[in-house]
């Protein structure tokens, strides 16, 4: 019996190793393709939506953007990079957690576009940010930086992350002494729980107490259709979004949705508009942006770009769910 158990244990470990290896290769390929294909200087100009607010918030806002960088003693961080409106602040702050092998310097147009909506947006050069530790260090540095005094509304801080960075954002928002400073979170194709644990990016969505918007794509790189517990199911299968959504307590606003036809590497650009709207609403109190998600007729529920949608409003605890659409 002991021999059989050892064999079964070894087989399970081998399966988990294979799943993890496939995930790493898939993420690396998708992120390389995303950087090469999308993040040109004005990458967002190629995006088009039939939904008015998604189109509006996917483009640039009304602020001219300044830039500053600061060296870090942390070898993973290397440099802390900050983009912010040139006009006098203070402004809400957003910490961005990098996807695998994607330092902030490799997707600068993303930061510039987001800062143009009236945010101070901070990133770093960490190529493996899944634990959330370097995001936590970055937050502490920014809040204590004399050069940024007066530019930050410390009561309005959000965090976002993609892929590995999605797991990192969840960790940063729950596992550290400064986690309570965040007021809203967004993740794009966050590594699903089992894979995150295998990689050491241990997050517990049930610990979140802030509004959470989670998205992924319907393409095979995010959802292969396989059982993610026994084979490589994609980086962020629908089952993982449903699982994470269900673990969030009932008194927290939450939204889940999938971008129809989007592969893993497409999510950054495909989610730009609604990610921006989420942060505008929760960090700036922009009521128009809030109608994307909440109220009598949320735009998200009626946008053909999105499917597998479920919404829970915080104030009324109303649950809204769109009819499921077959994956593209």
């Amino acid at each position: 019996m002991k021999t059989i158990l050892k064999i079964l244990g070894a087989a399970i470990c081998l399966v988990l190793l294979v799943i993890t290896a496939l995930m790493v290769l898939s993420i690396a390929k998708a992120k390389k393709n995303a950087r090469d294909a999308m993040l040109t200087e004005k990458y967002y100009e190629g995006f088009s939506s039939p939904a008015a607010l998604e189109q509006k918030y996917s483009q640039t806002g009304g602020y001219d953007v300044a830039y500053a960088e600061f060296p870090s003693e942390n070898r993973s961080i290397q440099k802390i990079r900050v983009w912010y409106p040139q006009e006098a602040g203070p402004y809400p702050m957003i910490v961005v957690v990098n996807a695998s092998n994607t330092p902030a310097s490799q997707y600068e147009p993303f930061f510039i576009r987001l800062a143009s909506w009236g945010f101070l947006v901070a990133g770093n050069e960490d190529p493996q940010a899944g634990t959330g530790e370097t995001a936590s260090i970055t937050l502490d540095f920014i809040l204590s930086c004399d050069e940024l005094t007066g530019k930050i509304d410390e009561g309005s801080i959000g965090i976002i992350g993609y892929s590995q960075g999605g797991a990192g954002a969840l960790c940063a928002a729950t596992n550290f002494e400064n986690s309570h400073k965040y007021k809203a979170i967004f993740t794009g194709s966050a590594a699903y729980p089992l894979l995150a644990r295998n990689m050491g990016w241990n997050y517990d969505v049930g610990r979140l107490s802030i509004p959470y918007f989670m998205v992924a794509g319907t393409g095979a790189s995010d959802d292969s259709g396989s059982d993610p517990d026994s084979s490589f199911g994609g980086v962020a299968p629908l089952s993982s979004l449903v699982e994470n959504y269900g673990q969030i307590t009932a008194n927290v606003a939450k939204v889940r949705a999938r971008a129809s036809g989007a592969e893993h590497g497409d999510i950054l650009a495909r989610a730009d508009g609604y990610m921006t709207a989420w942060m505008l609403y929760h960090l700036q109190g922009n009521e128009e942006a809030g109608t994307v998600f909440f109220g009598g007729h949320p735009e998200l529920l009626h946008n053909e770009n999105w499917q597998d949608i479920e919404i829970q409003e915080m104030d009324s605890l109303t649950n809204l769910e769109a009819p499921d659409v077959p994956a593209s």
Side-chain angles (χ1 to χ4, degrees), residues 95-113:
V95 176
V96 181
V97 189
N98 298 327
S100 301
N101 298 310
T102 311
S105 57
Q106 291 190 2
Y107 59 119
E108 182 176 9
F110 168 84
F111 290 88
I112 295 172
R113 191 204 68 82

Side-chain angles (χ1 to χ4, degrees), residues 27 95-100 124 126-137 158-176 178-179 182 185-193 195-197 199-205 208 210 212 244:
I27 291 175
V95 176
V96 181
V97 189
N98 298 327
S100 301
N124 60 47
D126 187 3
Q128 301 294 324
T131 67
E133 180 180 8
T134 55
S136 178
I137 294 170
I159 187 166
I160 65 178
Y162 298 85
S163 192
Q164 178 183 160
L170 289 165
C171 289
T174 55
N175 294 348
F176 297 89
N178 59 6
S179 294
Y182 295 110
I185 182 172
F186 164 88
T187 63
S189 298
Y192 72 86
L195 288 172
R197 287 195 297 272
M199 298 297 292
W201 314 326
N202 297 301
Y203 63 79
D204 180 359
V205 177
L208 278 179
I210 57 176
Y212 182 19
N244 285 343

Side-chain angles (χ1 to χ4, degrees), residues 115-129:
S116 76
W117 285 99
F119 298 104
L120 183 146
V121 190
N124 60 47
E125 297 296 279
D126 187 3
Q128 301 294 324

Side-chain angles (χ1 to χ4, degrees), residues 30-48:
K31 288 303 169 185
K32 181 180 185 303
N33 290 341
R35 292 195 304 270
D36 292 346
M38 294 190 307
L39 294 188
T40 56
E41 182 179 354
K42 297 182 179 181
Y43 71 96
Y44 44 82
E45 291 184 351
F47 178 80
S48 179

Side-chain angles (χ1 to χ4, degrees), residues 158-295:
I159 187 166
I160 65 178
Y162 298 85
S163 192
Q164 178 183 160
L170 289 165
C171 289
T174 55
N175 294 348
F176 297 89
E177 289 187 5
N178 59 6
S179 294
H180 67 281
K181 294 183 181 293
Y182 295 110
K183 304 304 179 185
I185 182 172
F186 164 88
T187 63
S189 298
Y192 72 86
L194 176 60
L195 288 172
R197 287 195 297 272
N198 290 343
M199 298 297 292
W201 314 326
N202 297 301
Y203 63 79
D204 180 359
V205 177
R207 297 179 63 188
L208 278 179
S209 59
I210 57 176
Y212 182 19
F213 180 28
M214 64 185 80
V215 308
T218 63
S221 52
D222 261 357
D223 193 341
S224 69
S226 301
D227 179 0
D229 291 327
S230 59
S231 61
F232 181 63
V235 179
L238 176 59
S239 60
S240 71
L241 271 69
V242 173
E243 176 185 351
N244 285 343
Y245 187 93
Q247 290 182 0
I248 301 171
T249 58
N251 62 341
V252 175
K254 55 185 179 179
V255 178
R256 67 169 171 86
R258 295 204 299 170
S260 302
E263 293 292 346
H264 186 73
D266 300 330
I267 286 299
L268 185 147
R270 282 290 300 272
D272 253 1
Y274 284 165
M275 174 276 294
T276 303
W278 185 256
M279 292 300 169
L280 284 170
Y281 177 63
H282 288 290
L283 301 184
Q284 294 186 15
N286 184 317
E287 294 294 334
E288 179 189 68
T291 65
V292 166
F293 311 100
F294 307 122

Side-chain angles (χ1 to χ4, degrees), residues 290-303 311 313 320:
T291 65
V292 166
F293 311 100
F294 307 122
H297 301 281
E299 182 181 275
L300 176 60
L301 284 179
H302 307 284
N303 185 345
I311 298 172
E313 296 192 42
L320 303 173

